[in-house]
Amino acid sequence: MMNYIWGGMILLSLIVSVFTGQVEATSAAAVSGAADAVETCIALLGIMCLWTGLAKIGERAGLVKMLAKILRPLTRLMFPKLDKDSPALGSIVMNMVANLFGMGNAATPLGLKAMNELDAVNRHRQTASNAMCMFVVLNTASIQLIPTTVISLRQTYGSAAPAEILIPIWISSVCALTVGITMAKFFERRTRL
């Protein structure tokens, strides 16, 4: 479906550029946009490699187990049916930490690993478990204490004060997380009835 939407948008833009006489401007914008996309990917790649490497070092050094113990009361509340020694909890904790520090794309591999481990303990393979749904909420609406990816992008593009967005990000992420957890718990309780 998305292929048709993107294809339609590209075709429509080309038709409009031909009829408005803006073919050269459209070509220049396409080339410029592609160059900007490559520069942005390279900037994000460095950040992603740094945080993914740090996460791997932390995992091997036992940091995951230590953080899992610290966050155990929270994870037990959010994921009551998971065994306390489940490998999924370690991956969930690492994903939560990556999101707390605003690692963005570096949190994605950790999230995929956590979701695979949650799927392994899911008894109903055709539907997502409550734990999987809660993890999606925690992953997408997480609190970001230090949004490093956004700050670095703002710095890359010349912001005079790249970190001035901290308070609005804290407020919006706390609101989103509160609503997300509340709704996930509401629907979890509702499906049990």
Side-chain angles (χ1 to χ4, degrees), residues 24-192:
E24 288 180 31
T26 302
S27 297
V31 170
S32 173
D36 289 345
V38 169
E39 288 176 18
T40 302
C41 287
I42 290 172
L44 288 174
L45 183 62
I47 298 162
M48 185 175 171
C49 289
L50 171 71
W51 288 115
T52 305
L54 287 175
K56 196 60 151 172
I57 290 168
E59 186 178 5
R60 288 186 180 170
L63 187 62
V64 174
K65 289 182 181 179
M66 184 181 77
L67 288 170
K69 278 186 178 179
I70 293 169
L71 294 173
R72 182 164 287 147
L74 178 65
T75 55
R76 296 304 304 154
L77 181 67
M78 297 295 121
F79 305 96
K81 292 187 179 180
L82 281 181
D83 185 35
K84 69 177 184 174
D85 296 323
S86 171
L89 283 178
S91 296
I92 289 168
V93 167
M94 284 304 294
N95 181 268
M96 288 170 63
V97 170
N99 281 322
L100 275 173
F101 290 112
M103 297 179 208
N105 291 334
T108 302
L110 300 168
L112 291 172
K113 183 178 178 187
M115 192 58 81
N116 282 335
E117 290 172 358
L118 287 171
D119 188 44
V121 296
N122 185 8
R123 286 181 281 148
H124 306 285
R125 299 299 242 181
Q126 300 301 320
T127 59
S129 67
N130 288 331
M132 293 169 85
C133 294
M134 180 59 75
F135 177 69
V136 168
V137 168
L138 288 176
N139 187 39
T140 56
S142 68
I143 296 172
Q144 292 190 7
L145 296 177
I146 306 168
T148 53
T149 302
V150 175
I151 289 172
S152 67
L153 281 174
R154 286 174 53 87
Q155 187 174 6
T156 300
Y157 288 107
S159 174
E164 71 184 357
I165 57 168
L166 283 178
I167 293 176
I169 285 179
W170 292 342
I171 293 169
S172 63
S173 59
V174 165
C175 291
L177 187 61
T178 302
V179 170
I181 290 172
T182 302
M183 294 309 295
K185 286 295 184 183
F186 171 77
F187 285 115
E188 180 180 328
R189 205 170 286 136
R190 194 167 170 212
T191 56
R192 279 190 241 151

